[in-house]
Structure formats: structure tokens, C-alpha cells
Amino acid sequence: MIQYLSDRKIFLTGAVSGAIAGFLAFIFARILVEPQIQLAIDYEGARDEVMDHINDLDAAAGIKFPEPGPDIEIFSRGIQRNIGIATGMVLMGLAFGLLIAVAFRIVLKVTAGQPPLTIRMTLLVIGLLGWISVFVVPALKYPPNPPAIGHSWTIHQRGNLYLLTVVCSVVFMILAAYLARRLSKSMDTWYAVIIAGACYVTAMCILFAILPSLGSLAQNTQYFGTEVTYGSGDSAVTIPITTETPLAATDPSGAILFPGFPADVLSRFRMYSFIAQAIIWLGASVIMGSWLSRMPGRKKNQSPAKKAAPAGV
């Protein structure tokens, strides 16, 4: 039993490690992610000017869209891109660090204080599984998007779908871990992990097939249909609408009035988001593992036992 790892040490170390990892993620995000956000905001502003004219034409033709609601900016961009991101990242890291600490404490409880891996490796595996189940897998269905992506009237539905995906992913991962432990008692651990992992992937694939794509939400299909056509005649191109990413704005003849959202900005934002989340989850687990491994164990200053007196004395 790892006696010297009290609950207080585990949770305090997890919180501090997560906060440090969150600050490192903020530095990464401030340098690489924030410029992509600014590009998305610039695109949104330029597109809004064009869409105002198109909406006026649609209104004249009797086509009505939901009102977007007031655009209220509580904090300036300077605060958002510095203090705002830093506060959010540090608090996120602190929360995830505590989750890693909770998972590590459960592992110690289940294994009676004797996990099969070292402290560092155990925490690294926990951080890796947390990153995969909380962010990576849900993002395969509903990836992170910068500003200008998504219609204002679907924001609540999109948020609920993403939250449902995260909760299901975490629950399936916990069940997979439980299944792997049970199977490891009757077969090789390697095969037990493979079977449990396959069950997790299968469950998430079924969930992905059931949940709708963002472009297929009821209000989106009501106002935009299920496909869009560019050009006319033999040069016309029709593509399905399966996302809320802004497509090119066109006039009634299909001519493009304003381009769609830049693919490079979207891909870089999503890639950097994956890396930033990895810095938080894996960084917190590595820092926590190194910290706990260096903590002193049982006291070594106890007086040695007295030597037995020679026989006959």
C-alpha cells in the first residue's frame, strides 16, 4: 500500500499540476490559437456586411429567417485574448487536474494501493484516457469551432448535443476500463484491453450514427435545405449541407457574392485546439506523476534495532 500518498496530497497535487498545465496551454493558445480566432472574427464582420444586403433582398422576396439577437460584447478583445483566455485555461486545467486526481485515487482503491504500473505511468495513462474520452472522441463528431461558425438559433441545441456526446464518451470509457479489468482475470491483459477498447469504439460509432450532424438540425434544413447549388447550367455544382460552417453567399443565380469560411483557418484552429487540450491533460498527468513520485515515503530517521547481545554475556 502506498501509505504516504494521502488524499490531501493527491488532490492538492492534482489541482496545482492542472493549473500549471493550464497556464502552459494558455501560452500555446495565446501564440497560435488566438490569431486564428481573430481571423475568424474579421471574416465574420466582413460577411455580416454582405449578408445584411442579402437578407434585405430575401425579406423583400418574403423569405424570413430567425432574428440573431443582440450582439453584446461584455469584455473587449484585449481582455478576451489575454486575461480571459488565461483565466479560462488555468481554471480548466485545475478542474481536469482534480479529475485526474479522483481517477488516480479510485485506481489506488481498486488495486488496494498496488497499481500494476508505476505512479508516473498510471497517471500518464489516466491523462491520456481523459484526453481521448473528454475531448478527442467527442470532437470527431462535433469538432471545436472558432467564431463565425454556427447559427445563433441552434447554439443551445449544438451545446446539448456536444454535452451528451462527452457524457456518453466518459461513461463508455469507464465501462470499458471496468470490462478490461474483469476480462484480465481470465485472459491475457493485452487481449482484455483490446476487447474493451473495441467495445468502446463500437459504442461511440453507434452513438455517432444516431446523433444528427449539425447541418442536419431541423431549423437548418428548414431555412437552408439539405443541399446547395453553385453556378448554373452545365457548370452547376450541387453539394450536400452537412455542417454549420458558413458556405459561400450567393445570389439567386448561384453566383458567389462572398466566399465561404477559409478552410485553412478552420483546420489550424481545430488542430491547435487538440494540441492545447493535450497540453492540459497530459501535462497535468506528467507533472502530477513526477511530483508524487518524488514525495518522501516512510520516515527513515527511526532508531535502528539494537543488536542482540552475544551468547553467554
Side-chain angles (χ1 to χ4, degrees), residues 6-18 98 101 288 291:
S6 63
D7 290 346
R8 182 175 179 274
K9 289 181 179 179
I10 292 175
F11 292 122
L12 181 59
T13 304
V16 175
S17 300
L98 287 175
M288 184 178 177
W291 203 339

Side-chain angles (χ1 to χ4, degrees), residues 32-303:
L32 295 176
V33 181
E34 175 57 32
Q36 309 309 314
I37 296 177
Q38 188 60 52
L39 289 174
I41 293 175
D42 294 340
Y43 170 88
E44 186 177 32
R47 184 186 177 92
D48 285 344
E49 294 183 8
V50 175
M51 292 305 298
D52 286 341
H53 298 290
I54 296 178
N55 290 337
D56 292 340
L57 295 176
D58 290 339
I63 303 175
K64 296 182 179 180
F65 289 88
E67 294 295 332
D71 185 12
I72 302 175
E73 186 180 74
I74 300 177
F75 299 103
S76 65
R77 281 292 296 147
I79 295 179
Q80 292 175 13
R81 70 196 309 170
N82 293 295
I83 299 177
I85 295 180
T87 302
M89 286 290 191
V90 171
L91 291 178
M92 184 185 300
L94 190 149
F96 290 165
L98 287 175
L99 288 178
I100 293 173
V102 170
F104 180 64
R105 187 63 186 86
I106 293 175
V107 169
L108 292 182
K109 179 68 175 179
V110 172
T111 60
Q114 296 293 337
L117 302 175
T118 63
I119 293 177
R120 289 189 179 94
M121 287 304 301
T122 299
L123 285 166
L124 182 59
V125 170
I126 291 174
L128 180 62
L129 294 179
W131 177 56
I132 291 174
S133 60
V134 174
F135 183 80
V136 174
V137 173
L140 297 178
K141 180 66 176 181
Y142 303 117
N145 291 322
I149 304 294
H151 305 298
S152 59
W153 56 82
T154 63
I155 185 171
H156 295 295
Q157 193 171 5
R158 286 184 282 128
N160 292 335
L161 287 172
Y162 179 75
L163 179 60
L164 174 62
T165 306
V166 172
V167 171
C168 290
S169 177
V170 172
V171 171
F172 292 159
M173 182 64 75
I174 294 174
L175 293 176
Y178 176 76
L179 177 62
R181 178 169 175 79
R182 291 295 299 270
L183 292 177
S184 64
K185 297 180 180 180
S186 57
M187 64 174 63
D188 186 77
T189 303
W190 173 256
Y191 294 109
V193 171
I194 292 178
I195 293 174
C199 291
Y200 170 79
V201 172
T202 301
M204 290 305 301
C205 287
I206 295 174
L207 180 67
F208 284 0
I210 295 174
L211 296 179
S213 62
L214 296 182
S216 301
L217 299 180
Q219 283 188 303
N220 286 342
T221 57
Q222 176 184 355
Y223 297 112
F224 301 106
T226 58
E227 59 184 23
V228 61
T229 300
Y230 297 108
S232 59
D234 296 337
S235 61
V237 177
T238 301
I239 60 175
I241 300 176
T242 58
T243 177
E244 284 208 340
T245 304
L247 302 175
T250 61
D251 62 12
S253 66
I256 297 177
L257 301 178
F258 196 82
F261 193 86
D264 290 343
V265 175
L266 183 60
S267 63
R268 284 195 293 267
F269 176 85
R270 289 176 174 175
M271 178 181 65
Y272 294 153
S273 297
F274 274 77
I275 297 175
Q277 288 287 322
I279 292 174
I280 294 178
W281 280 101
L282 302 183
S285 61
V286 169
I287 295 172
M288 184 178 177
S290 300
W291 203 339
L292 290 180
S293 298
R294 293 177 179 274
M295 284 187 174
R298 296 179 179 177
K299 294 181 179 180
K300 298 181 180 180
N301 57 358
Q302 297 176 351
S303 58

